[in-house]
Amino acid sequence: MPRIESTAARLAKLGFADPARGERLVEEAGAEWLLDDFAAVADPDLALLSLTRVAEREPGLLDALRSDEGLRSRLLGVLGVSAALGEHLVTHEGHWRSLASEQAVLRPGEGELRAALLRAVGAEPGDREPRASVASPGRELKSAYRERLLRLAARDITGAASFTEVTAELSDLAGAALEAGLAVARAEAGPDGGLAAEELSTVRLAVIGMGKCGARELNYISDVDVIFVAEPAEGADETKALRVATRLAQGMMRACAVLWEVDAGLRPEGRAGPLVRTLTSHLAYYRRWAKTWEFQALLKARPVAGDAELGAAYVSAVDELVWHAASRDNFVEDVQAMRRRVEAHVREDGERQLKLGPGGLRDIEFAVQLLQLVHGRLDPLLRRRATLPALAALSRGGYVGREDARGLAEAYTFLRQVEHLLQLHRLRRTHIVPSAPGDLRRLGRGLRLGPDPEAEFVRQRKKHAREARRLHEKLFYRPLLQAVARLPDSETRLSTAAATARLKALGFGDPSGALRHIAALTTGVSRRAAIQRTLLPVMLGWFADTPDPDAGLLGFRQVSDQLGTTPWYLRLLRDETAVAARMARVLGTSRYATDLLTRAPEAVAMLGSDADLAARPFAALRAEAAAAVSRHDDAETAVASVRALRRRELFRTAVADLSGLTDIEHVGVALSELNDVTIQAALDAAIAKVRLESRGESPGRFAVIAMGRLGGMECSYASDADVMFVCDRMESAFAVANELRRLLALPAPDPPLLIDPDLRPEGRQGPLVRTLASYRAYYGRWSSPWESQALLRARFSAGDPELGEAFVSMVDELRYPSGGLPLESVREIRRLKARMEAERLPRGADPALHTKLGRGGLSDVEWVAQLLQLQHAGSLSSLRTTRTLEALRAAVHEGLLEADEARVLADSWRFASRIRDAIMLVKGRAGDMVPADVNERRLIAGTLGYPPDGSEDFVDDYRRVTRRARKVVERVFYGD
């Protein structure tokens, strides 16, 4: 025999917490046939208890439920959520029938609600001055209001009304109640209340809804925020009219107190100010005294009751003030500070606060309102009162990313739905999430969250709160807001005539060309153009602070043209102000960096973080380059991929340099290591190609020896790679060396890395590659002092490490002579230096302004360090370094140079090196001379950190530094 399941067991499966009591109630009511319907309700126990109580008073209820499935769904849904509405049905006979009518599933219009509540208090909707005429208007108003609330709750709980429809209808219902309350106030103040009918007609009174009521996003139980505005009728005394209006406002507030509190605390001067003011008085206060938060509150203002014409005039007048409030001093900072103050006063149960807690409704509302107020000055499409429409407009306009807007909207909707369920339960104003498991279970079931509603509710709430808080902090504290808000209104409008003059004043040399770029970037209705219209007014100011605003804007357009359709690009600039500001600085300063960025525009992503601009470890770069080569079969494609890596890293170094995040020594190291990596990768590709062409025969061991600036780890942006090649057998070595040079010399839109092997024995006349034995033989027989000097920079760069280090060890005895440098060799080096100064300096060049060969320049300092090394490194190992500044520091340590002298030489070397790099960064081409052109000098000076008018100071500083260095050179290098 099959086992017959008990009613209690069935109830337990349906979700009843107390199936034993449920079984008793079901049996008493004879409602076994209803059991399955309880599975869909939020709290089956509550629904069953309330149903049995209502059925006791309404004999026809159960029969009606049996025959009307819609009624059954709506009534049980309400009873399972709201104990208060269940109580209402118990005490108000027949009200359940409103859920059975056809009207129960239809959304009422605002006029229908207003008429219903006015009639409830005995007023007629068509009357110009409606007055109540029932014995107990408060009780009738509450009863009619609750019946309408019952219908709405039923459509809400069963999903027949969307969230936005629910909040809009709640707001309309509140407006209808205020209108009815005003009618009650007029009736109470009439002939029997002390005011004559003539006195009542002396004033026009409008009720302005604020907060959620004004925005038509009200919740079930909330204070209704209002402001009262009045005007005397024509010919009436203003003082008397305001006194009448105040009495009517007070009466309306008392009449509506049976529903919720009417709060007029948002009025001018708050509770300390008069309850009612004229429109002129309101505007005078807002123009002179209003605080930032008051404009934020006025964003929601909407006429909701009373004189509609006066209400519309009030909203129209204050709108002009609201949408220009963001231009007030410290507006954004004030709003942010106010939010922090609210957070600081949240009670200990803040984590359970839906409204004020972290990730709560206020986080979302404040972020949306601040973005509206800042950007709504120019964009009327953002001027929405309700949060979700405003958020959608911000997303459409590009002020908030689509994913961010979606995350905020989902979090806001979820939190508001939870708030509705909480308030419906007892019809009490609350925003605290309960902790009892039964309450959490009711919320989860009310939201239809699956088989484990309690756990799923907790998970969903944490997820939405976390996302809301993250996005609040991202958007609410977005630095771009301060920048946009500080722009005068005249600067946020890019009209042709005014913009031309403004651009010229900002320092643009070609304002007409700048306007063309601006138009190309901002014209149209696309999301891309909308974001550009937000960014550009701010970025123009940042471009103006750079040495070359025109170049900055042109570069920005070029990069934007390439990346404008890339989803992350404009979103990054909008959301991460540091990226946009740094990008403007780079583009307006460096043609070199701009060229790199236009060829590798994805590198914009590294601009937001100082950490992203730090030089990458050598090992990581080398591994990435090797991997890039291994992915390609042909050498040309392999080297092209390595060039892309080099392009990105050159940009990283250039931006760090321009941003003051690194110094000239570290720039030299970063560039030299990058060149080593590039040479190694190209060498790998060359060897692979030569091996392939020789049918797999190994070309033998091959090493690249760095010389010159590459050897000294002092490369500049314009440096060639001075190298020598060493092999262990000659058969294929020439092919490898030539292929390496060819691959790196292939035409490409990149700064080239040219291989210069001219420092090899016999120079251009000697063989390109030698064996170790050949080098040893040559240096042992033919080496001259200048070659020993050149070898001071020799270090292993790429290829076979063992072979490279063998070469370096072999030349040590030559560059670090054990007995020091003979006097004749010292004299020869001095003669060579003097000859170089006389012959190699360009004709007409000012010797004081040539950074390489001029007096006190790079050559002077380097030859001093190298002479000391040749003289003393044989006995002092601390001098055995390829780097200039390290050699000077070692010389001080060994007592060969005074500390002050070394500091003077180092300062000059750094200054000259920075100028050479700055010339390349600014002009995009190499140069050794401090420019004679005044504009070029200004650009170089700006790159080096001098103010716009500091170009002469820059030249004077360089002359002074190098003059002091030259005195040291003459004593140390040319002295006896």
Side-chain angles (χ1 to χ4, degrees):
M1 292 288 293
R3 182 179 179 183
I4 299 175
E5 187 177 43
S6 69
T7 301
R10 229 180 122 193
L11 290 173
K13 288 183 178 180
L14 291 171
F16 281 78
D18 188 350
R21 187 184 71 164
E23 182 177 26
R24 177 174 54 79
L25 291 174
V26 166
E27 290 174 353
E28 289 175 359
E32 291 86 352
W33 56 273
L34 265 176
L35 289 186
D36 288 341
D37 292 279
F38 286 100
V41 305
D43 188 339
D45 298 85
L46 175 62
L48 178 58
L49 177 62
S50 297
L51 177 65
T52 55
R53 293 182 64 211
V54 176
E56 286 176 3
R57 297 177 60 88
E58 303 278 356
L61 174 61
L62 290 180
D63 289 339
L65 291 178
R66 189 185 291 272
S67 62
D68 189 339
E69 184 179 347
L71 170 63
R72 197 159 66 241
S73 172
R74 289 187 284 274
L75 180 61
L76 293 182
V78 169
L79 296 179
V81 166
S82 179
L85 287 176
E87 189 65 33
H88 174 81
L89 289 173
V90 170
T91 57
H92 289 75
E93 185 177 351
H95 273 207
W96 63 268
R97 298 183 187 279
S98 65
L99 300 183
S101 69
E102 293 181 0
Q103 298 300 314
V105 295
L106 298 178
R107 179 182 177 185
E110 184 178 3
E112 178 187 336
L113 294 173
R114 202 162 289 242
L117 295 197
L118 281 170
R119 290 193 179 106
V121 298
E124 284 299 322
D127 291 351
R128 182 166 180 80
E129 299 290 343
R131 299 172 189 174
S133 58
V134 296
S136 181
R139 184 178 62 197
E140 296 301 326
L141 176 60
K142 182 176 182 180
S143 175
Y145 183 90
R146 285 285 176 90
E147 187 200 14
R148 288 290 174 167
L149 200 68
L150 173 69
R151 294 190 196 182
L152 174 57
R155 287 188 292 113
D156 180 8
I157 292 164
T158 58
S162 69
F163 165 72
T164 54
E165 289 173 338
V166 171
T167 57
E169 188 172 330
L170 284 167
S171 304
D172 293 343
L173 188 57
L178 292 171
E179 194 73 78
L182 188 55
V184 172
R186 288 184 178 281
E188 291 177 345
D192 295 335
L195 290 178
E198 295 77 18
E199 290 180 283
L200 289 173
S201 65
T202 62
V203 66
R204 299 162 60 203
L205 176 65
V207 183
I208 308 300
M210 302 289 284
K212 285 185 168 60
C213 180
R216 294 189 83 227
E217 55 184 9
L218 198 63
N219 43 27
Y220 277 95
I221 299 296
S222 173
D223 293 349
V224 174
D225 296 308
V226 300
I227 285 177
F228 296 104
V229 59
E231 289 292 330
E234 187 174 351
D237 178 76
E238 182 177 302
T239 302
K240 291 182 180 179
L242 286 176
R243 189 162 57 245
V244 172
T246 300
R247 182 168 176 183
L248 291 177
Q250 292 169 335
M252 188 202 79
M253 294 171 74
R254 283 195 304 273
C256 292
V258 296
L259 307 176
W260 17 250
E261 180 184 354
V262 179
D263 189 346
L266 293 177
R267 66 185 185 267
E269 301 180 82
R271 301 188 189 282
L275 182 63
V276 184
R277 291 176 182 253
T278 63
L279 178 55
T280 300
S281 176
H282 275 283
L283 295 178
Y285 171 84
Y286 290 131
R287 287 176 179 138
R288 186 170 184 184
W289 303 109
K291 298 179 177 62
T292 294
W293 70 264
E294 292 177 278
F295 292 108
Q296 186 178 356
L298 286 170
L299 187 153
K300 306 284 189 180
R302 177 177 66 92
V304 292
D307 191 297
E309 184 179 343
L310 177 57
Y314 174 91
V315 171
S316 176
V318 300
D319 267 358
E320 288 300 310
L321 302 176
V322 167
W323 297 111
H324 291 87
S327 59
R328 291 159 56 104
D329 289 344
N330 300 315
F331 174 83
V332 172
E333 292 84 349
D334 286 349
V335 175
Q336 293 170 341
M338 181 170 64
R339 177 64 188 131
R340 286 191 288 266
R341 286 196 296 273
V342 171
E343 290 176 337
H345 288 88
V346 175
R347 298 178 304 176
E348 290 183 3
D349 57 6
E351 290 296 326
R352 294 166 52 209
Q353 266 270 5
L354 283 174
K355 184 176 180 181
L356 302 178
L361 292 165
R362 277 288 185 269
D363 271 358
I364 300 170
E365 292 164 349
F366 264 65
V368 171
Q369 290 164 22
L370 182 56
L371 288 165
Q372 281 183 275
L373 289 167
V374 169
H375 298 298
R377 285 187 296 168
L378 274 184
D379 192 344
L381 295 177
L382 302 183
R383 300 177 184 181
R384 313 295 177 94
R385 294 185 179 92
T387 301
L388 290 179
L391 184 56
L394 287 165
S395 178
R396 285 193 299 273
Y399 306 97
V400 176
R402 290 187 181 92
E403 289 302 316
D404 289 351
R406 185 179 298 111
L408 280 178
E410 289 175 356
Y412 182 79
T413 303
F414 177 85
L415 294 173
R416 288 296 308 274
Q417 288 173 331
V418 173
E419 180 184 49
H420 284 182
L421 289 172
L422 284 173
Q423 294 180 350
L424 274 172
H425 186 50
R426 300 288 182 189
L427 285 184
R428 291 176 184 165
R429 182 173 178 265
T430 180
H431 302 94
I432 303 296
V433 176
S435 56
D439 291 328
L440 295 175
R441 182 168 166 270
R442 183 183 69 253
L443 292 172
R445 285 176 63 100
L447 293 168
R448 298 177 176 85
L449 294 183
D452 188 355
E454 178 185 343
E456 183 62 15
F457 170 76
V458 172
R459 190 190 72 80
Q460 290 263 10
R461 180 173 174 267
K462 286 181 178 178
K463 181 192 78 170
H464 286 300
R466 185 168 56 247
E467 183 69 355
R469 186 61 180 181
R470 181 186 73 81
L471 293 172
H472 167 79
E473 291 176 347
K474 173 182 177 181
L475 300 174
F476 191 66
Y477 296 103
R478 180 189 287 171
L480 186 64
L481 287 170
Q482 284 97 330
V484 174
R486 291 190 187 109
L487 290 172
D489 286 350
S490 60
E491 289 188 27
T492 60
R493 292 174 171 82
L494 303 173
S495 59
T496 303
T500 300
R502 180 59 187 154
L503 289 168
K504 191 170 184 179
L506 281 171
F508 285 83
D510 180 13
S512 297
L515 274 180
R516 287 194 296 273
H517 297 319
I518 292 168
L521 289 164
T522 61
T523 301
V525 296
S526 68
R527 182 181 180 82
R528 170 187 175 185
I531 297 176
Q532 290 283 22
R533 286 192 289 272
T534 302
L535 286 169
L536 267 173
V538 181
M539 294 197 73
L540 290 175
W542 289 332
F543 288 135
D545 292 334
T546 67
D548 193 345
D550 297 88
L553 181 56
L554 172 61
F556 181 67
R557 180 182 175 184
Q558 291 171 335
V559 175
S560 295
D561 285 346
Q562 293 190 53
L563 285 179
T565 57
T566 306
W568 58 265
Y569 167 61
L570 290 177
R571 182 173 68 235
L572 177 70
L573 297 186
R574 178 196 62 207
D575 295 347
E576 304 292 342
T577 307
V579 177
R582 182 169 276 157
M583 183 179 181
R585 168 71 179 164
V586 169
L587 295 175
T589 302
S590 172
R591 183 170 299 176
Y592 177 84
T594 299
D595 288 344
L596 289 169
L597 187 57
T598 55
R599 294 182 176 99
E602 67 282 353
V604 168
M606 70 174 67
L607 294 178
S609 165
D610 290 355
D612 285 341
L613 294 173
R616 294 180 61 205
F618 177 73
L621 287 176
R622 195 153 191 171
E624 184 178 348
V629 171
S630 68
R631 285 194 295 268
H632 301 283
D633 293 332
D634 65 288
E636 290 81 1
T637 307
V639 171
S641 67
V642 175
R643 278 184 157 175
L645 180 154
R646 182 170 185 267
R647 189 186 311 133
R648 183 193 68 208
E649 297 308 316
L650 285 173
F651 180 74
R652 190 193 308 275
T653 302
V655 175
D657 191 358
L658 292 165
S659 303
L661 301 175
T662 187
D663 59 30
I664 192 65
E665 280 190 83
H666 288 96
V667 168
V669 171
L671 294 174
S672 301
E673 289 186 342
L674 181 58
N675 288 342
D676 283 349
V677 166
T678 305
I679 292 169
Q680 179 66 62
L683 179 60
D684 290 342
I687 290 173
K689 183 172 183 180
V690 170
R691 180 184 289 114
L692 182 65
E693 291 174 348
S694 61
R695 299 181 181 179
E697 183 180 344
S698 172
R701 294 192 300 161
F702 190 99
V704 180
I705 305 300
M707 303 289 287
R709 294 199 170 280
L710 178 61
M713 303 296 286
E714 296 163 355
C715 283
S716 69
Y717 297 104
S719 292
D720 294 341
D722 292 318
V723 301
M724 293 194 296
F725 301 123
V726 58
C727 65
D728 65 351
R729 64 174 190 245
M730 301 294 294
E731 291 80 2
S732 302
F734 283 102
V736 171
N738 283 321
E739 180 63 14
L740 170 63
R741 296 176 70 192
R742 184 189 74 82
L743 289 172
L744 289 176
L746 287 172
D750 302 315
L753 178 59
L754 299 179
I755 298 295
D756 185 350
D758 289 352
L759 290 176
R760 66 186 185 269
E762 301 177 85
R764 295 182 182 179
Q765 305 305 315
L768 182 62
V769 187
R770 291 175 182 260
T771 64
L772 193 62
S774 176
Y775 277 109
R776 183 180 291 110
Y778 172 85
Y779 289 132
R781 185 173 183 184
W782 304 107
S783 178
S784 60
W786 76 264
E787 288 180 301
S788 296
Q789 184 179 353
L791 288 169
L792 287 169
R793 302 289 199 117
R795 66 171 179 84
F796 170 69
S797 171
D800 186 281
E802 185 178 341
L803 182 60
E805 293 304 329
F807 176 90
V808 171
S809 297
M810 183 263 296
V811 300
D812 277 354
E813 61 186 53
L814 200 65
R815 57 182 175 174
Y816 309 137
S818 59
L821 197 63
L823 183 58
E824 181 54 37
S825 295
V826 173
R827 290 171 179 166
E828 183 177 344
I829 288 173
R830 288 171 176 168
R831 284 194 298 270
L832 187 60
K833 174 75 167 69
R835 180 181 169 188
M836 184 180 70
E837 290 179 12
E839 297 179 0
R840 293 184 59 188
L841 196 68
R843 181 175 298 179
D846 184 345
L849 297 179
H850 196 282
T851 60
K852 183 176 181 181
L853 302 176
R855 293 192 291 268
L858 294 171
S859 180
D860 267 5
V861 177
E862 289 164 359
W863 282 57
V864 168
Q866 290 162 14
L867 180 59
L868 291 173
Q869 287 179 289
L870 289 169
Q871 289 175 316
H872 303 286
S875 57
L876 300 174
S877 60
S878 62
L879 289 168
R880 297 177 185 179
T881 175
T882 64
R883 305 185 188 189
T884 301
L885 297 186
E886 280 191 6
L888 292 178
R889 287 189 281 265
V892 171
H893 178 72
E894 300 294 351
L896 304 174
L897 196 62
E898 294 294 331
D900 287 346
E901 293 176 327
R903 185 173 61 254
V904 167
L905 292 174
D907 287 347
S908 184
W909 187 91
R910 290 191 184 96
F911 204 164
S913 297
R914 291 182 64 215
I915 292 171
R916 292 183 83 211
D917 276 359
I919 291 171
M920 186 66 177
L921 288 171
V922 168
K923 299 171 66 174
R925 60 180 186 273
D928 292 320
M929 280 293 299
V930 174
D933 180 80
V934 174
N935 187 54
E936 287 188 357
R937 281 190 180 181
R938 179 182 62 81
L939 295 176
I940 301 300
T943 304
L944 295 173
Y946 285 85
D949 58 352
S951 59
E952 292 308 311
D953 290 340
F954 151 60
V955 175
D956 289 345
D957 286 348
Y958 182 68
R959 288 181 183 274
R960 181 172 57 256
V961 168
T962 53
R963 188 165 54 245
R964 294 176 63 197
R966 181 64 181 191
K967 289 181 180 178
V968 176
V969 172
E970 289 174 351
R971 188 192 74 77
V972 177
F973 187 82
Y974 289 111
D976 291 333

